[in-house]
Amino acid sequence: MRELKQLQIPALAKEPNTACSEIVAEAAFALASGIIDTIPFVGSKLDEQQTRAWPRSGVFTDDGVEMTGTPPEIFELCELLAAHIEKGTSFDVFEVFHKIARIDRLIDWRHGAVLSPEPHPITH
């Protein structure tokens, strides 16, 4: 599994033998990681200076054990998104939804997602 990290274009530029495809793959993975970082996950970052959403504290497995690293489902979602970004292909909504459903327990749906909208008064 690749580490979720910030894009390091200057580091790539210092390596003149870096293939264009490697740069595109790295950029796609960084973009996918950035997308995942916008998800309102439960728990909190381990450090206020941490740029990525994971790892987190206060997140537990179904057995009550605190997670100490990044769950594999996060990497799988990132790899799926990165593959589509790298190829420039449309996302398969069902495939992405399936990956998101696998991390449902890690998302704090009270932030940034509305499960049941409040009814608005009709004003005709």
Side-chain angles (χ1 to χ4, degrees):
M1 280 188 252
R2 283 197 258 179
E3 176 186 347
L4 298 178
K5 60 183 178 179
Q6 296 286 6
L7 179 62
Q8 301 295 321
I9 292 295
L12 291 173
K14 291 177 186 175
E15 299 176 27
N17 295 329
T18 303
C20 184
S21 61
E22 291 177 65
I23 294 170
V24 170
E26 184 74 18
F29 197 80
L31 182 56
S33 297
I35 291 168
I36 290 171
D37 288 338
T38 66
I39 298 172
F41 291 108
V42 297
S44 58
K45 294 179 179 181
L46 296 179
D47 179 5
E48 289 182 21
Q49 304 302 319
Q50 181 176 321
T51 57
R52 292 283 167 222
W54 287 91
R56 302 180 74 77
S57 63
V59 182
F60 299 88
T61 65
D62 293 337
D63 299 333
V65 177
E66 187 167 19
M67 291 184 187
T68 57
T70 304
E73 296 91 347
I74 300 294
F75 287 108
E76 292 169 11
L77 175 59
C78 189
E79 289 171 351
L80 172 68
L81 296 175
H84 284 285
I85 292 167
E86 183 178 354
K87 294 175 192 168
T89 59
S90 300
F91 293 104
D92 178 336
V93 154
F94 297 107
E95 188 177 23
V96 173
F97 178 77
H98 175 73
K99 294 289 185 191
I100 291 172
R102 293 190 62 215
I103 63 168
D104 178 69
R105 72 188 190 288
L106 304 174
I107 299 173
D108 186 350
W109 290 106
R110 297 172 297 163
H111 297 93
V114 179
L115 294 178
S116 56
E118 293 295 319
H120 295 288
I122 299 173
T123 57
H124 312 294

